Amino acid sequence: MSSSEGKLKPSSSELDLDRPNIEDYLPSGASIHEPHGKLRLRDLLDISPILTEAAGAIVDDSFTRCFKSNPPEPWNWNVYLFPLWCSGVVFRYLILFPVRAIVLTIGWMIFLSCFIPVHFLLKGNDSLRKKWERVLVELICSFFVASWTGVVKYHGPRPSMRPKQVFVANHTSMIDFIILEQMTAFAVIMQKHPGWVGLLQSTILESVGCIWFNRSEAKDREIVTKKLREHSQGADNNPLLIFPEGTCVNNQYSVMFKKGAFELGCTVCPVAIKYNKIFVDAFWNSRKQSFTMHLLQLMTSWAVVCDVWYLEPQNLRPGETAIEFAERVRDIISVRAGLKKVPWDGYLKYSRPSPKHRERKQQSFAESVLRRLEEK
Amino acid sequence: MLTRNYLFIFFFLFLAVSLEPNSSKILSETMGNSSSMLTQYDIEEVQQHCQRLFSQQEIVSLYERFCQLDRNAKGFISADEFLSVPEFAMNPLSQRLLKMVDGLNFKDFVAFLSAFSAKASVQMKIKLIFKVYDSDGNGKVSFNDILEVLRDLSGSFISDNQREQVLTQLLKEAGYSKDSYLTLDDFIKVLGSPGLKMEVEVPVD
């Protein structure tokens, strides 16, 4: 969730350890039909399958599709519906938006007038202070949700505070966190943002217990894994919420889950979130919009309607690796939320694929040539 | 007092125009052609340029894709933006293709991709393959040119010596020598016989 696009750089090899073999998922023309028979000049010169793959990727690729905003089809292109749409716009911007802004301001005033005293006066009595701060954070999140006229339907048993459990969810926008937080005060792991969001993160979210990571630092992962483990072992810490995709995806696809959340030795409780696109497209395309504009867009739409499913907690099965566990949970969430799975690492948004994949293709080509050389 | 109200209303309407995803479509339709819309005339011009190998719907789809890859609407796609497609970056021949495709405007982009249309002739496809091998564009493909492509394709998994050996042997078997230069006609002779399948489908919603 970074707000600026720097130059792409090759990814560190550490990020690759997260992924199972992409070749198992990718449709590759060359691997479908294994050529046989004596090697001829034609076979060396014929690069058509490789060129076809490259051109296919230029024309359409499953990675870019994950991050495409797909607003609902415009319905207002005739002379009868257009004025209706215009009056809708006027209503939303001149009536709904000011009302919502006022509601949100009132919410902030109530929150700050309770939070600041509680934070400073109850400094001695930690557990009571934490309890109050939790309630207040849930309150401000409810005000946020109300300010978009959020209609959230929660399915499944509400999360309980137990040690050794983490919650994982698919990620569409930062508002995922707010929607889940209004029901239960989670501790969350987030990328530190600049601006007013960063300020909120460092003051208010500190009270529910947050872990910061920095996507651009490779060494950061070990530190973060350690912090995650410490947090999940603690009995009176808030339950930890992790978005294993690592980046915002457009709520129609799911990218590969990072295994960090799945090797903490805890029970993993999947949460699936699906937004109803008819009302607003809640995907936060962090390359196109700042978070402020995104919030404004939500506050000037009719409603944010979504479904949240708390799914059955999962444990690591004997003989299962962390990556397989992550894929199994991703499967559960994707099926529930109606998302299509793609075999890409979300961080490819920020860095190039590692040379390992190209090398794998080179290896299979080399092996095929050498093998056919033997056949006479 | 009255002007302040009007100012507020203008502010809100300005916000509406910038936030509403549909408003830019209305604006470009009322103000005539804007840079992000293709007119019928444009589509036909592009279709002519690619020898009618793509249908008009396919050209519209390709334009959406072009605009998606061209992030700041410069009118061409830079090498970096091509490489941001992971499937393309992983391809062993991506650097060679980049040289051919970097900085093309939309018309030439479609013309490049037209070799991959199902309606394109086998000769057109072989011509593209020849262009990939003939990196210096002198109309001849030398032994070294083929070696370089083989190096891209097989990496460090075959030794240089072995590559040379295999290529020399296969060239001899096909009736060429190590010093001969292959022309486009030679390529057509070698690759053309059982036909060539090199097709990409343009998704049309």
Side-chain angles (χ1 to χ4, degrees):
Chain A
M1 294 184 286
S2 74
S3 47
S4 67
E5 256 280 296
K7 259 203 119 31
L8 291 183
K9 38 193 187 324
S11 71
S12 79
S13 55
E14 292 176 338
L15 295 177
D16 302 335
L17 298 175
D18 277 347
R19 288 196 286 271
N21 195 353
I22 283 194
E23 265 63 43
D24 293 339
Y25 294 87
L26 273 182
S28 144
S31 63
I32 294 174
H33 158 64
E34 268 296 319
H36 287 290
K38 185 163 158 355
L39 196 65
R40 290 173 19 241
L41 181 63
R42 183 225 158 80
D43 303 308
L44 274 196
L45 290 184
D46 184 8
I47 49 174
S48 60
I50 298 140
L51 289 183
T52 313
E53 267 180 40
I58 294 179
V59 164
D60 186 25
D61 76 297
S62 53
F63 183 72
T64 324
R65 262 188 262 145
C66 294
F67 303 103
K68 196 168 140 192
S69 323
N70 295 320
E73 275 302 305
W75 51 273
N76 48 8
W77 304 130
N78 65 39
V79 76
Y80 306 107
L81 296 177
F82 186 66
L84 193 62
W85 177 77
C86 275
S87 50
V89 168
V90 165
F91 181 73
R92 278 188 283 134
Y93 280 80
L94 298 184
I95 300 178
L96 275 189
F97 179 52
V99 166
R100 288 171 178 170
I102 292 173
V103 163
L104 193 59
T105 319
I106 295 176
W108 272 106
M109 292 199 294
I110 299 178
F111 173 76
L112 287 172
S113 57
C114 298
F115 187 81
I116 295 178
V118 163
H119 189 72
F120 289 110
L121 296 180
L122 288 180
K123 263 252 157 70
N125 195 348
D126 251 3
S127 63
L128 187 64
R129 176 171 68 93
K130 280 203 165 154
K131 201 162 77 99
W132 274 101
E133 286 179 344
R134 254 176 231 146
V135 167
L136 285 176
V137 170
E138 284 180 28
L139 180 77
I140 188 63
C141 287
S142 310
F143 268 103
F144 261 114
V145 174
S147 77
W148 320 311
T149 315
V151 178
V152 187
K153 192 146 181 243
Y154 295 94
H155 309 258
R158 301 295 173 265
S160 42
M161 267 186 53
R162 280 187 298 201
K164 303 195 79 114
Q165 73 175 359
V166 290
F167 288 81
V168 300
N170 58 311
H171 200 28
T172 305
S173 160
M174 282 240 275
I175 68 173
D176 290 338
F177 164 68
I178 299 180
I179 285 175
L180 291 178
E181 190 84 0
Q182 95 169 323
M183 183 55 63
T184 327
F186 287 108
V188 77
I189 163 171
M190 273 186 161
Q191 167 98 10
K192 205 62 181 287
H193 278 69
W196 64 271
V197 181
L199 184 65
L200 284 187
Q201 286 177 322
S202 40
T203 46
I204 296 168
L205 292 183
E206 273 308 314
S207 64
V208 285
C210 283
I211 300 175
W212 310 116
F213 72 85
N214 197 343
R215 202 176 271 136
S216 36
E217 283 191 35
K219 283 293 162 216
D220 197 57
R221 272 197 56 209
E222 291 152 21
I223 308 174
V224 166
T225 318
K226 204 160 66 92
K227 285 195 207 166
L228 284 180
R229 192 164 281 142
E230 279 168 16
H231 186 107
S232 53
Q233 314 287 7
D236 65 338
N237 284 332
N238 287 327
L240 193 58
L241 174 64
I242 302 178
F243 295 108
E245 287 174 314
T247 187
C248 292
V249 186
N250 73 355
N251 210 225
Q252 285 182 301
Y253 295 90
S254 70
V255 295
M256 302 210 343
F257 278 9
K258 301 205 166 306
K259 66 179 173 149
F262 299 90
E263 46 185 17
L264 299 171
C266 299
T267 314
V268 169
C269 310
V271 180
I273 309 176
K274 181 76 172 177
Y275 292 90
N276 190 333
K277 270 240 267 289
I278 299 178
F279 295 94
V280 76
D281 182 12
F283 168 50
W284 178 37
N285 196 339
S286 55
R287 282 188 282 204
K288 289 225 174 101
Q289 260 183 340
S290 70
F291 189 58
T292 317
M293 291 303 279
H294 178 61
L295 271 192
L296 283 181
Q297 186 176 10
L298 292 177
M299 282 174 74
T300 54
S301 53
W302 289 109
V304 172
V305 178
C306 67
D307 285 286
V308 173
W309 290 275
Y310 295 107
L311 300 169
E312 193 186 318
Q314 303 289 325
N315 280 302
L316 187 69
R317 291 199 184 134
E320 203 180 30
T321 65
I323 296 182
E324 288 166 358
F325 186 29
E327 279 302 297
R328 185 163 60 90
V329 172
R330 177 164 91 119
D331 212 27
I332 296 172
I333 294 183
S334 305
V335 164
R336 182 68 267 187
L339 307 172
K340 297 191 200 103
K341 295 176 14 167
V342 293
W344 300 107
D345 176 1
Y347 278 9
L348 286 172
K349 238 189 187 177
Y350 310 103
S351 64
R352 296 274 162 76
S354 98
K356 210 171 56 156
H357 296 108
R358 179 184 301 200
E359 280 167 17
R360 216 174 273 144
K361 288 182 190 268
Q362 289 174 329
Q363 185 174 20
S364 85
F365 177 82
E367 280 172 6
S368 150
V369 164
L370 290 175
R371 183 175 39 86
R372 292 177 64 187
L373 210 54
E374 305 297 311
E375 296 178 25
K376 277 298 180 190
Chain B
M1 178 66 179
L2 212 57
T3 32
R4 210 174 51 151
N5 284 344
Y6 281 133
L7 275 175
F8 272 134
I9 294 182
F10 271 125
F11 166 70
F12 280 122
L13 285 180
F14 174 73
L15 202 64
V17 164
S18 51
L19 287 179
E20 283 298 306
N22 295 333
S23 58
S24 59
K25 270 202 176 147
I26 304 175
L27 280 180
S28 53
E29 283 192 4
T30 49
M31 293 193 304
N33 189 20
S34 100
S35 59
S36 63
M37 300 280 288
L38 273 186
T39 62
Q40 182 63 27
Y41 178 70
D42 292 327
I43 298 177
E44 282 173 10
E45 203 187 319
V46 172
Q47 214 182 15
Q48 279 289 75
H49 192 74
C50 71
Q51 276 102 8
R52 309 199 138 255
L53 287 169
F54 283 123
S55 73
Q56 298 204 350
Q57 281 168 315
E58 287 172 327
I59 293 182
V60 172
S61 284
L62 283 175
Y63 188 68
E64 277 174 22
R65 175 67 172 175
F66 187 84
C67 293
Q68 190 185 43
L69 292 176
D70 174 17
R71 294 233 188 95
N72 11 26
K74 321 179 276 301
F76 63 89
I77 308 174
S78 67
D80 219 35
E81 287 163 348
F82 273 114
L83 290 175
S84 73
V85 176
E87 228 174 294
F88 181 78
M90 282 176 6
N91 193 294
L93 294 179
S94 55
Q95 288 302 321
R96 286 181 172 260
L97 280 174
L98 263 188
K99 281 202 208 96
M100 295 165 70
V101 115
D102 181 18
L104 288 183
N105 64 18
F106 179 58
K107 234 168 50 174
D108 296 327
F109 175 75
V110 172
F112 171 79
L113 288 176
S114 60
F116 295 93
S117 152
K119 301 189 216 151
S121 66
V122 170
Q123 188 161 10
M124 241 192 112
K125 299 180 196 277
I126 299 180
K127 211 164 166 194
L128 182 66
I129 296 180
F130 185 80
K131 258 174 72 178
V132 172
Y133 277 97
D134 182 21
S135 41
D136 51 8
N138 60 0
K140 304 184 285 207
V141 168
S142 69
F143 182 80
N144 279 324
D145 287 335
I146 306 181
L147 261 192
E148 301 243 333
V149 173
L150 274 181
R151 199 171 291 136
D152 284 340
L153 290 176
S154 49
S156 53
F157 296 96
I158 306 185
S159 73
D160 274 340
N161 261 339
Q162 216 170 4
R163 271 191 285 259
E164 275 197 46
Q165 257 179 20
V166 171
L167 187 56
T168 319
Q169 181 191 345
L170 291 181
L171 277 174
K172 209 167 69 166
E173 283 174 16
Y176 302 99
S177 81
K178 194 171 153 176
D179 307 313
S180 51
Y181 285 92
L182 294 170
T183 63
L184 179 58
D185 290 325
D186 294 315
F187 263 71
I188 295 177
K189 197 163 67 154
V190 172
L191 294 174
S193 21
L196 200 69
K197 191 149 163 55
M198 195 165 88
E199 274 166 34
V200 154
E201 198 185 310
V202 178
V204 170
D205 332 283

